[in-house]
Amino acid sequence: MYDFRDLQPRAEPSSSLPLEAICYAGKWLDQEIPEFETLVVEGRAGFERQINAPDRVGDGSLYLNSRIKERKITVTFRLLCNTIERYNKSLAKLNQLTYATNVEVKFADEQDYHYIGTIESISLDKPLFSTTGKIEIVCADPYKYSTAKTINFTGTSINVLDIELSYPQTPKLIEFTPNEAISKFEMRTNDSKVFTFNESIGAGTKLTIDFTKLTVKLNTVQHLMGLKLSSNFSDFYIRNGTVITLNARGYFKMIYEVKRL
């Protein structure tokens, strides 16, 4: 990959990454393997929806529901070697760097966002020292996520203002530390989502709600049994303009990632 400056020949190599260079599990393959070069990436744009719509007795079908299917990303790369030793070393390094599963995957042209994926296969087009190949990545979650963002406030109400929050999504983590002892903790949104923790919380005791691991803790001790069963745990959605109201005053911290298709 070459970057354009003018029509004069230049001897120095470009130090920049290819436009769509891949970073897998925190490692840029183009930097880790000198013989490797990312060429083209497919599957990042658009999405595929599976629709459940059985046929009617008459014309057409009856829409019941739908879901967005897993995302499949294909990375086409070039491998340039001039000896069998470099060839074997490059392939061994490639296999080592791509062995991990369910990890962050991001690309050089959009480093603020990442997917969570697993490499399904790596193949070479020809068994030659200099050849092209493909990396097939399956993302069970079709969305891409931003780097984590944090909201902090002290009080009983907060308006989430982030124009990038265009899709409803759950936070990653919420922490609440009351100023005074309370008999229970409850937070509501203006979208009718309610989360209730039916245990007393002492002043200065931190309640931690992990929406990724589905855990609830008081300080470091697990207290999932205190969660009211009717609470919106898996679908306590937030978006731009969501207002979160608490039943008590205290220090509130929320960590979230913006998701996009």
Side-chain angles (χ1 to χ4, degrees):
M1 181 70 69
Y2 298 90
D3 59 319
F4 179 82
R5 180 184 297 172
D6 51 37
L7 297 178
Q8 299 301 316
R10 294 156 54 202
E12 75 274 17
S14 170
S15 59
S16 62
L17 288 166
L19 181 63
E20 293 186 294
I22 177 176
C23 179
Y24 191 82
K27 300 291 185 180
W28 293 98
L29 301 187
D30 293 80
Q31 291 180 340
E32 298 289 331
I33 308 172
E35 296 81 8
F36 180 98
E37 181 184 11
T38 302
L39 297 178
V40 179
V41 179
E42 301 174 86
R44 295 166 60 194
F47 63 89
E48 185 176 358
R49 189 186 294 276
Q50 183 178 24
I51 300 175
N52 180 13
D55 292 339
R56 294 179 182 271
V57 174
D59 297 334
S61 57
L62 176 63
Y63 175 87
L64 296 179
N65 52 54
S66 64
R67 69 181 186 91
I68 297 176
K69 299 176 68 174
E70 64 186 16
R71 182 178 298 276
K72 295 186 177 181
I73 299 175
T74 301
V75 179
T76 301
F77 64 91
R78 178 161 50 207
L79 198 66
L80 298 176
C81 306
N82 54 17
T83 66
I84 188 62
E85 289 79 11
R86 292 184 64 181
Y87 178 82
N88 289 336
K89 183 178 180 181
S90 299
L91 289 182
K93 186 69 171 179
L94 179 61
N95 290 339
Q96 174 203 341
L97 294 175
T98 57
Y99 177 77
T101 60
N102 204 43
V103 297
E104 286 192 7
V105 182
K106 63 182 179 180
F107 300 91
D109 61 345
E110 196 176 29
Q111 297 188 35
D112 290 338
Y113 281 83
H114 66 270
Y115 299 91
I116 300 296
T118 300
I119 289 182
E120 185 177 47
S121 66
I122 299 177
S123 60
L124 296 178
D125 295 330
K126 294 180 181 180
L128 302 174
F129 289 170
S130 298
T131 185
T132 55
K134 287 183 172 58
I135 299 174
E136 303 285 348
I137 305 170
V138 175
C139 301
D141 183 344
Y143 293 93
K144 59 186 176 184
Y145 293 87
S146 72
T147 52
K149 300 185 178 185
T150 302
I151 294 176
N152 298 283
F153 82 94
T154 299
T156 58
S157 182
I158 179 68
N159 190 355
V160 180
L161 297 176
D162 187 339
I163 60 174
E164 293 186 329
L165 276 173
S166 53
Y167 294 90
Q169 61 191 74
T170 58
K172 287 179 65 66
L173 190 79
I174 285 179
E175 294 178 353
F176 177 73
T177 305
N179 293 342
E180 299 178 352
I182 56 176
S183 59
K184 71 174 184 179
F185 170 75
E186 186 170 87
M187 59 181 177
R188 296 175 175 269
T189 73
N190 55 340
D191 294 322
S192 301
K193 301 299 182 182
V194 182
F195 185 98
T196 304
F197 180 72
N198 274 329
E199 288 189 23
S200 59
I201 306 175
T205 299
K206 182 169 66 177
L207 172 69
T208 302
I209 307 163
D210 192 319
F211 289 86
T212 301
K213 299 179 181 178
L214 299 181
T215 60
V216 179
K217 294 181 180 180
L218 286 179
N219 288 334
T220 60
V221 180
Q222 181 69 255
H223 279 260
L224 189 59
M225 294 299 293
L227 177 67
K228 188 175 181 178
L229 294 179
S230 60
S231 293
N232 297 96
F233 201 159
S234 61
D235 62 347
F236 190 84
Y237 295 134
I238 61 171
R239 67 174 76 196
N240 184 39
T242 293
V243 178
I244 300 176
T245 304
L246 313 178
N247 70 323
R249 179 174 294 273
Y251 171 72
F252 180 92
K253 176 181 179 180
M254 180 171 68
I255 300 174
Y256 66 95
E257 294 174 335
V258 172
K259 74 176 183 181
R260 290 182 175 176
L261 279 172

